[in-house]
Amino acid sequence: MWHFISEQISQCTQQEFICDSVREVSGGDSHQTYVISNDKRRYFVKVNDKHYMPNLLAEVEGLQHLTQASLCKVPNVICNGIVSSHCFLVLEHIHMSDGDSNAWRAFGESLANMHQAHHQQMYGWQEDNFIGQTPQINKWQKKWSYFFPNNVSAICCSY
């Protein structure tokens, strides 16, 4: 699997990448997550059974949309696909560190600006997507007060 993913990375970046290190990392419960690297580059990889490919494709779409908004750092999507019985998503690796109060404040301001910069006339999304592995229904609503309880909160309460 890692050889195939390395080939896909090489093809998409147009730079040879031969994975020489695979390290499983924690941070979520919806997919297996890894940091893979060679002596020059590092990538973050999500892997799951191939029937979860719609989840990863929805994440790709969401990340691309957030990247276009360019209000905060979002990992670049490198590639995705299916190899044997697994699906995968390769992202730019972003080194995470503990933030101080100024960093958290800046992040909060960026997040607030992102949510205030919407250009849609309604609340929702053009497609349903996922919160983890749970489907999120995104029916368009004219008011946030209708969208949230009918779509998002139903998911939160299903746990």
Side-chain angles (χ1 to χ4, degrees):
M1 175 173 75
W2 298 114
H3 178 72
F4 179 82
I5 292 173
S6 293
E7 288 178 347
Q8 296 302 301
I9 293 169
S10 297
Q11 183 177 5
C12 291
T13 63
Q14 297 181 359
Q15 296 178 343
E16 185 177 45
F17 178 80
I18 299 173
C19 176
D20 61 16
S21 174
V22 177
R23 181 174 47 96
E24 189 166 11
V25 294
S26 62
D29 60 356
S30 58
H31 306 284
Q32 294 171 296
T33 53
Y34 302 88
V35 173
I36 65 172
S37 60
N38 65 12
D39 60 337
K40 296 179 185 173
R41 290 183 300 286
R42 185 179 300 171
Y43 298 98
F44 181 77
V45 183
K46 292 184 172 191
V47 176
N48 212 328
D49 293 327
K50 68 181 178 182
H51 70 273
Y52 286 104
M53 190 64 187
N55 299 58
L56 295 180
L57 292 175
E59 183 170 351
V60 167
E61 181 182 2
L63 288 169
Q64 289 171 340
H65 184 77
L66 290 171
T67 298
Q68 291 172 358
S70 67
L71 293 169
C72 60
K73 177 63 179 159
V74 177
N76 292 319
V77 174
I78 307 302
C79 60
N80 61 77
I82 295 177
V83 55
S84 67
S85 63
H86 294 92
C87 61
F88 65 90
L89 170 59
V90 179
L91 302 171
E92 168 191 14
H93 179 267
I94 298 176
H95 178 72
M96 307 295 278
S97 62
D98 293 334
D100 59 18
S101 60
N102 290 333
W104 282 109
R105 180 177 178 83
F107 172 75
E109 289 172 355
S110 292
L111 188 62
N113 289 336
M114 179 181 67
H115 282 90
Q116 292 172 356
H118 67 85
H119 302 288
Q120 300 170 171
Q121 298 300 312
M122 299 178 75
Y123 296 92
W125 191 250
Q126 57 267 20
E127 293 183 25
D128 294 340
N129 53 20
F130 302 88
I131 295 178
Q133 292 180 1
T134 305
Q136 175 175 290
I137 308 305
N138 290 309
K139 294 178 184 173
W140 290 104
Q141 301 285 341
K142 290 183 180 180
K143 296 182 178 181
W144 172 253
S145 59
Y146 291 112
F147 172 76
F148 185 79
N150 292 317
N151 299 324
V152 179
S153 65
I155 293 166
C156 298
C157 297
S158 69
Y159 288 106

